[in-house]
Amino acid sequence: MTQTLQKVDHSALKTNQIIIISLNILAFILNLPILAAFVALMMGIGSALKIPGFGFVYKNLLKPRGWMKPDILDDNPEPHRFSQILGFVFMSAGSIALFLGASTLGWGLVWLVVALAALNAFGGFCVGCAVYYWLVRLNLPGFTKEPPAGTFPGMKPRVGASR
Amino acid sequence: MSAEILLRFGLAIVIIGLGVFAYWLINQRLLVRASNNVFTLFKKLPNKPVLIYFTTPDCVPCKTVQRPAIDRILNLLGEKLQVIEIDATEHPDLAKTWGVMSVPTTFLLDARGEARFVNNGVARAEKLLEQIQTL
């Protein structure tokens, strides 16, 4: 099977993840469900626009000033979008739980998003992407992309990977 | 209010600490794996510290940060350190064997061939030097 990979800037994804982690931890420390809801909202907007929710920070601030270098890899953007949608769902559920007073459940979901974002940002493993590729195997409609050649589903692709 | 924030801050630190511990465990596993695979790179140990540097031709942070950092260390240490650069696209088998998931990744081996440090992502010259000094 052949498929065309696209250029995906993993620095934009990483910036997005680090901001999500930071804001969520801050929300927890300051006990600010509204901040968690803001993160959920940004992830929702990002999902709708098919861009990383906080990608504008990278695009308008970090990249132009050279504070972060692009890390452009041949990859499928769809699993990353799916991953953000999953994050949005968890964050929304967490925020709703927090506003309804179920703080253990709410903060638990927020920390789950923190853990998954950290695994992606620092470990190079995208759980949402792995779920996406798993759904491809189940032939679910709309899930069509295969992992780049030689890349374990969910892992950050190595440069030059193609299929 | 401040007591609550302090408590939550403490909790956050504990949770992050657990995450860091899990990451440390994974790195330890990587080091054991690397130590077991030293002879995929050498027939005979060079009897000096070795820096194994996994990179790829299009890796921008490798070119802009990692390679200059390694060059700086080589200028400082000269023959006291051996650097082996591996292109993960040319040698995907080696990258797989060593458990390399992203580039740049650097491993530091001591003179006995034991993998002592692994850096996932960019490792600055100061950090590498600090690690080499403990070998």
Side-chain angles (χ1 to χ4, degrees):
Chain A
M1 183 180 169
T2 58
Q3 68 175 358
T4 311
L5 296 172
Q6 294 176 42
K7 300 288 179 194
V8 176
D9 191 345
H10 279 252
S11 289
L13 300 176
K14 194 170 186 172
T15 304
N16 189 42
Q17 289 143 14
I18 289 171
I19 293 173
I20 289 168
I21 293 166
S22 309
L23 291 181
N24 276 342
I25 292 176
L26 196 67
F28 174 77
I29 292 171
L30 300 177
N31 197 11
L32 287 175
I34 191 80
L35 188 54
F38 170 71
V39 174
L41 176 72
M42 293 306 288
M43 291 174 86
I45 293 171
S47 301
L49 299 177
K50 297 184 175 179
I51 53 168
F54 293 97
F56 66 91
V57 178
Y58 169 75
K59 194 179 164 189
N60 299 320
L61 183 74
L62 303 181
K63 192 178 160 188
R65 295 184 186 204
W67 292 346
M68 262 191 105
K69 305 278 181 196
D71 182 16
I72 298 165
L73 300 176
D74 291 325
D75 198 359
N76 295 307
E78 293 84 355
H80 297 288
R81 287 178 200 145
F82 177 73
S83 185
Q84 182 167 245
I85 292 169
L86 269 190
F88 163 67
V89 170
F90 282 124
M91 281 303 302
S92 301
S95 302
I96 291 166
L98 288 172
F99 283 114
L100 291 177
S103 58
T104 307
L105 174 67
W107 289 122
L109 287 167
V110 169
W111 274 103
L112 180 67
V113 173
V114 170
L116 298 181
L119 186 63
N120 199 345
F122 307 117
F125 185 71
C126 167
V127 174
C129 305
V131 172
Y132 177 97
Y133 291 125
W134 184 64
L135 294 174
V136 171
R137 286 187 163 200
L138 294 176
N139 292 324
L140 217 71
F143 295 84
T144 54
K145 301 287 180 172
E146 294 286 336
T151 303
F152 184 80
M155 284 308 304
K156 186 178 172 182
R158 298 185 187 103
V159 176
S162 59
R163 179 172 286 199
Chain B
M1 178 68 181
S2 60
E4 194 201 334
I5 289 176
L6 214 62
L7 179 70
R8 298 182 81 88
F9 180 74
L11 260 175
I13 294 292
V14 169
I15 295 168
I16 293 166
L18 285 173
V20 171
F21 179 66
Y23 181 69
W24 177 82
L25 274 181
I26 292 166
N27 270 355
Q28 289 306 112
R29 199 169 156 251
L30 263 183
L31 288 176
V32 170
R33 190 171 168 175
S35 294
N36 292 338
N37 288 300
V38 163
F39 290 101
T40 56
L41 292 178
F42 306 103
K43 282 181 183 162
K44 194 180 154 214
L45 291 172
N47 287 323
K48 59 182 173 183
V50 181
L51 190 153
I52 298 164
Y53 167 42
F54 282 90
T55 182
T56 52
D58 299 337
C59 165
V60 177
C62 300
K63 282 180 196 159
T64 55
V65 187
Q66 195 60 80
R67 187 70 241 181
I70 291 172
D71 289 342
R72 221 178 111 198
I73 290 169
L74 274 176
N75 283 337
L76 280 170
L77 300 178
E79 293 294 312
K80 290 179 192 162
L81 176 77
Q82 182 174 349
V83 174
I84 298 176
E85 184 171 330
I86 300 167
D87 181 343
T89 52
E90 270 184 30
H91 303 283
D93 48 330
L94 272 180
K96 194 175 174 185
T97 306
W98 282 68
V100 174
M101 299 298 187
S102 59
V103 287
T105 294
T106 45
F107 289 91
L108 273 165
L109 313 186
D110 62 18
R112 289 174 297 146
E114 289 284 321
R116 298 278 301 279
F117 296 99
V118 56
N119 302 297
N120 302 300
V122 168
R124 298 192 179 272
E126 294 76 18
K127 186 180 181 186
L128 288 171
L129 266 176
E130 205 174 284
Q131 291 174 342
I132 290 165
Q133 278 161 7
T134 65
L135 294 178

